[in-house]
Amino acid sequence: MFLNSHIKVSTLFFLLSISLNFNAQKIDPDDSFTFELCLPNSFVNKPYKTIMQGLVSASPYYQYTLKSGISFGAGVHYSYFAINEFRMPVKVFGGIHTGAAFLKLGHEKFWTERFGTDIGCKFGYLQSYAVSDLLRSQGMFYRRTEALFIEPTIGFVLSADVNCSYRLTIGYPFYGYSFTPETIGYYSEMGFDIAEFSKNCSFLNVGFAYTFYFNGKKSSADD
C-alpha cells in the first residue's frame, strides 16, 4: 500500500513537471552530475523485509556519455533502514547505515527535445553498519559488514533547461550479504525459516533525480 502510494505520488509530480516545462531544449549528453534521492522498499530476504524499514537511499555520481549513447560513471551510495520496533518481540531501536562506492555503465539518450532515458547498472563495494540499543548493551557500538554492491537502474528523463533535467528513477540494489535478527543484536530465529537467512538483501528504489549537464546543447536563440 505504502509503496503503491509513493509510486503514484512520484509519477504525479513527474507528469506535473512535464506540463510546466514548455521551454526545454534538447540536450546532447556529455559530462554530467546527477543526484538521486529515493525511497527504498526491501524484498527477498524475509527477516530483512519484516524487521527493517527503508527510509532513504541517495546516490550522487558523475557520468560521461559518448556520442553513441554509451555512458560511464562513478559515485557513492548511501541508504538507511530503520528497525521497525513493532515487528520485534522486544523494543529495539536503531538501524542499518550503508555506504558504497560504485562505477556505472549504461546508455543515456534523449529521444525527443524533452524526453530521454538513462539505463544502466551500478556495481561496487559497500560497508554496512548496524547500530541498535541491543548491540550497545552487549558492548558493541556497531556490527560492520563488507560486501559487493550491484544496482540495475532506469531513469525516465525530462529536460528542464539546456543544462539540467529531472527524472523519475527506479533501481533494484542487491547487497552481497544476508540479514538475520542477530545482525541487530537479537539472538533468536523469530519463527523465520532458516533458509531465509542465507538470502541476500535487496530492495526496490523509487524516487527522483536532478542532473546538471556541464556542456548542455544551446538552442538557436542562445547562439
Side-chain angles (χ1 to χ4, degrees):
M1 174 83 73
F2 182 73
L3 174 59
N4 290 336
S5 298
H6 177 75
I7 293 175
K8 289 178 181 178
V9 171
S10 299
T11 304
L12 177 62
F13 276 101
F14 187 69
L15 293 176
L16 179 61
S17 65
I18 292 177
S19 66
L20 294 177
N21 287 283
F22 290 104
N23 296 321
Q25 300 293 332
K26 186 175 181 179
I27 294 176
D28 185 12
D30 195 338
D31 57 332
S32 61
F33 175 81
T34 297
F35 182 81
E36 299 175 350
L37 186 63
C38 301
L39 176 69
N41 295 271
S42 55
F43 284 90
V44 181
N45 183 302
K46 194 171 182 179
Y48 190 66
K49 181 179 179 180
T50 302
I51 298 172
M52 306 305 299
Q53 181 177 9
L55 295 186
V56 66
S57 175
S59 295
Y61 61 90
Y62 170 85
Q63 181 165 292
Y64 186 85
T65 302
L66 304 176
K67 294 296 183 182
S68 63
I70 300 298
S71 60
F72 308 88
V76 294
H77 164 87
Y78 170 79
S79 71
Y80 178 67
F81 280 74
I83 299 171
N84 187 341
E85 65 267 24
F86 301 107
R87 298 291 184 91
M88 295 293 296
V90 298
K91 289 287 186 180
V92 185
F93 299 96
I96 300 178
H97 300 268
T98 298
F102 65 82
L103 299 176
K104 180 175 181 283
L105 177 64
H107 182 273
E108 180 183 22
K109 182 175 181 179
F110 274 83
W111 302 94
T112 70
E113 285 191 356
R114 302 180 52 78
F115 178 74
T117 56
D118 187 355
I119 302 171
C121 187
K122 304 169 186 174
F123 52 94
Y125 179 80
L126 66 81
Q127 290 190 354
S128 286
Y129 295 85
V131 294
S132 73
D133 50 357
L134 277 181
L135 288 174
R136 286 192 295 271
S137 69
Q138 298 162 19
M140 291 183 286
F141 290 105
Y142 58 82
R143 176 172 275 130
R144 187 178 69 173
T145 303
E146 300 180 8
L148 297 178
F149 161 78
I150 185 169
E151 180 184 6
T153 64
I154 181 169
F156 300 98
V157 188
L158 173 70
S159 62
D161 200 333
V162 293
N163 285 102
C164 66
S165 68
Y166 300 90
R167 67 182 66 190
L168 174 66
T169 182
I170 302 172
Y172 199 92
F174 292 89
Y175 289 172
Y177 66 85
S178 59
F179 172 87
T180 72
E182 183 178 336
T183 304
I184 57 174
Y186 188 74
Y187 294 86
S188 171
E189 296 175 2
M190 291 179 56
F192 292 111
D193 188 333
I194 296 180
E196 294 288 336
F197 296 154
S198 63
K199 296 180 179 179
N200 286 347
C201 299
S202 63
F203 53 93
L204 178 67
N205 258 341
V206 180
F208 288 107
Y210 170 82
T211 298
F212 179 81
Y213 297 92
F214 296 100
N215 295 305
K217 182 178 179 180
K218 295 184 177 180
S219 65
S220 57
D222 296 324
D223 294 335

